[in-house]
Amino acid sequence: MAIWRDHKQELEDLEIRVLAVSVDTFESASSVSEEIGADGSTFQFAYGATRDDANTVGAWWQKGSHQYIQPAEFILGRRGVVLGSVYTSGPIGRVNVEDAIQFIRTRESRRLKGNQS
């Protein structure tokens, strides 16, 4: 999440909001938030995600002695439409902040050009 914090101004300029959801407890999620200096204006943390939550978004649930949700990341449009998604079964394959910013810039440019016609 720190890399997203490092791009805070670009994200704000594009009106991008980031939400992180974790299976962690409130205390653990708060610790991460404090560690990276999240102030809520760029991203917020939700905690206590469950297997039902994983099923709702289609994420893979890690079974075994340590159960948790594998990463699932989404880029949503202004009306909540999923514009892009990434599902992983491990630590490889996360959305890169620079790629997300470029994706949004490109979509916004096309949207604005379409409105000028």
Side-chain angles (χ1 to χ4, degrees):
M1 292 300 301
I3 189 80
W4 290 84
R5 178 208 55 215
D6 295 345
H7 287 82
K8 176 181 178 177
Q9 191 60 56
E10 290 173 273
L11 296 167
E12 287 178 351
D13 291 348
L14 290 167
E15 298 178 20
I16 295 172
R17 291 180 297 200
V18 178
L19 171 65
V21 180
S22 172
V23 298
D24 291 338
T25 63
F26 172 78
E27 292 78 16
S28 186
S30 294
S31 173
V32 170
S33 179
E34 290 170 12
E35 181 180 320
I36 63 169
D39 62 8
S41 65
T42 303
F43 46 89
Q44 300 171 318
F45 287 84
Y47 62 91
T50 66
R51 188 173 190 160
D52 286 341
D53 296 322
N55 290 338
T56 298
V57 299
W60 185 63
W61 184 262
Q62 176 68 45
K63 297 176 184 175
S65 59
H66 293 83
Q67 296 190 19
Y68 54 91
I69 299 171
Q70 287 287 358
E73 300 172 318
F74 306 93
I75 297 176
L76 304 177
R78 295 180 187 276
R79 293 181 183 89
V81 174
V82 177
L83 303 175
S85 61
V86 174
Y87 293 89
T88 64
S89 60
I92 298 173
R94 303 284 179 101
V95 172
N96 177 293
V97 66
E98 291 93 354
D99 292 343
I101 289 170
Q102 185 57 45
F103 176 77
I104 297 297
R105 281 191 177 134
T106 300
R107 283 196 59 87
E108 282 298 293
S109 175
R110 289 179 183 157
R111 182 182 68 82
L112 294 172
K113 285 180 184 175
N115 287 341
Q116 293 175 356
S117 302

